[in-house]
Each structure stands twice: as structure tokens, then as C-alpha cells.
Amino acid sequence: DAKTTQPNSMESNEEEPVHLPCNHSTISGTDYIHWYRQLPSQGPEYVIHGLTSNVNNRMASLAIAEDRKSSTLILHRATLRDAAVYYCILRDRAGNQFYFGTGTSLTVIP
Amino acid sequence: GAVVSQHPSWVICKSGTSVKIECRSLDFQATTMFWYRQFPKQSLMLMATSNEGSKATYEQGVEKDKFLINHASLTLSTLTVTSAHPEDSSFYICSARDLNREPQHFGDGTRLSIL
């Protein structure tokens, strides 16, 4: 599976937008980009996923670069409950396994 | 609500004990489930892929005789940590996916502490 690179940590002020970057320069044409987040002592929670086009849902937006070598998860208004570790993961459509990287630990400042 | 349920959520037991953790998909059938282990301040590490009605596929470095996986039905997979020792203390997480559908759902994990 192609590898992803994320910053170890980021900070955001409450109620401000947050842009979480992910680099995946070795992504293949059939790899989907998935984002999950994990709160302390909980299992990962699905956030969003996409292939080529930008995606929006009630939780976040996913902006995918035209060459697909990077993507950005956008939280439009950070809340204290958004403090978590965010994982960017690639997976082939036919595949099943998720191989987690180190993720980005997001701190939200009141 | 939760679509993947794990039980127990935490367990403390003596060294040498075998511990069984259950993972259930609540409202869908999962031909494949996955088991992860997570140590403090580290990421999730995939241990094995559990296939209904067949043997599990273990990741490199994971002892199959130590971590027994059974996937007897389309909604239940179990992980048994045999003869557990303190170094097996960890956060164990399962996940499941409805065939060909997204997303993959994760359980809330089982905190295992071996004394």
C-alpha cells in the first residue's frame, strides 16, 4: 500500500477552520483516500473518503489535488470535540486492509 | 449508533491467563473483519485479517498460535490472547466492512491489562 505523510501535530483555535494536510506521492490510480479520526481510548471514527473529486459531508470536506499526490481534510469550524488524532489512509477499491500511519494530533485551543 | 461492537471494553487478568475478545457487526454481514493492536502514543498496527469460514491471515511478526482468531459467523469474530503476559497489555481494536461498501467501521476497543 502506498504510504502517506502527515504532520505529527497541529493546533487550531476553537471556531476557526482547520486544514489538515496529507502527502501521498506514490498513490496509484485505484487508491481511495480515507480519513479517520481517533479520540482517546476509542476506536477510529470514519470522517470522509474520496477518489478524485473534492468531497463534502456533514463532518468535513476533502480537497484532493489535481495530481492526487496530496489531499487536505478541512474542518470548517473546529470545536473542542474535534481534538483527536487524524489519520489519512490509502486503500485500493478492491482491498480491505487499512495500514495506519502516524497521523496528526490536532489540539483545539478554547 | 455503533455498528461494530467489541466486548469486553476492558479486562484485567493475571499472567498466564487466556483472554477472549469478541467483535460483532450489528447491522450488516461482514465476511472480513480485522484486528489491530495499539500501544500507548502509537498508531494502530494491523495484526490479522479474519475471514468467515476460513483461516485468518496474519501480518508479518504476529504469532498465530499466540493470537487465535475465529470467525465462525458473518457477524462475529473472536480474538483469543493465549497465555497472556504483561507485554501483551495493549488496546485491541477490531473493524469490519460491509462487502464492497464504505466506510469500514471500527469497534471501541478493548483495553487489556496483564498483571
Side-chain angles (χ1 to χ4, degrees):
Chain A
D1 295 85
K3 187 177 177 180
T4 61
T5 305
Q6 299 176 253
N8 287 333
S9 62
M10 291 184 65
E11 287 186 352
S12 173
N13 293 319
E14 194 177 9
E15 298 189 6
E16 289 188 357
V18 183
H19 289 231
L20 298 166
C22 181
N23 288 321
H24 28 79
S25 58
T26 59
I27 190 171
S28 73
T30 55
D31 282 340
Y32 281 74
I33 303 160
H34 297 257
W35 283 84
Y36 280 76
R37 70 181 186 182
Q38 185 180 26
L39 278 66
S41 298
Q42 294 187 25
E45 175 189 26
Y46 169 78
V47 179
I48 202 166
H49 78 283
L51 182 62
T52 56
S53 303
N54 294 343
V55 184
N56 299 296
N57 65 22
R58 63 176 182 83
M59 289 183 70
S61 295
L62 176 60
I64 301 173
E66 198 168 330
D67 63 6
R68 303 215 318 130
K69 293 185 176 182
S70 65
S71 61
T72 302
L73 178 70
I74 302 165
L75 307 179
H76 297 286
R77 272 178 83 245
T79 69
L80 297 179
R81 288 176 295 179
D82 291 324
V85 178
Y86 286 78
Y87 294 100
C88 167
I89 312 164
L90 303 182
R91 191 181 71 193
D92 185 275
R93 179 179 175 81
N96 277 308
Q97 291 90 345
F98 276 143
Y99 293 95
F100 284 77
T102 55
T104 296
S105 178
L106 176 65
T107 300
V108 180
I109 302 168
Chain B
V3 295
V4 173
S5 174
Q6 264 185 260
H7 179 80
S9 56
W10 60 270
V11 58
I12 302 172
C13 58
K14 294 181 179 180
S15 185
T17 306
S18 292
V19 179
K20 180 185 284 188
I21 303 170
E22 292 186 349
C23 179
R24 294 181 184 273
S25 57
L26 298 182
D27 56 2
F28 64 95
Q29 293 184 331
T31 55
T32 306
M33 293 184 175
F34 309 92
W35 289 96
Y36 295 82
R37 180 168 53 181
Q38 185 176 33
F39 293 108
K41 299 191 183 301
Q42 293 187 23
S43 186
L44 284 77
M45 184 192 79
L46 179 66
M47 298 175 66
T49 301
S50 169
N51 303 297
E52 187 267 336
S54 65
K55 291 183 178 181
T57 303
Y58 290 82
E59 295 295 306
Q60 191 173 11
V62 178
E63 301 175 59
K64 62 180 181 180
D65 295 329
K66 173 77 171 176
F67 300 99
L68 300 179
I69 292 172
N70 183 277
H71 194 155
S73 78
L74 288 172
T75 59
L76 173 64
S77 175
T78 61
L79 169 68
T80 301
V81 184
T82 62
S83 187
H85 292 285
E87 59 266 29
D88 298 321
S89 298
S90 188
F91 192 48
Y92 291 86
I93 306 167
C94 73
S95 73
R97 180 183 174 198
D98 196 354
L99 185 63
N100 294 325
R101 291 186 182 181
E102 299 290 357
Q104 188 169 108
H105 300 282
F106 288 79
D108 275 337
T110 298
R111 180 77 57 192
L112 175 62
S113 296
I114 309 298
L115 304 177

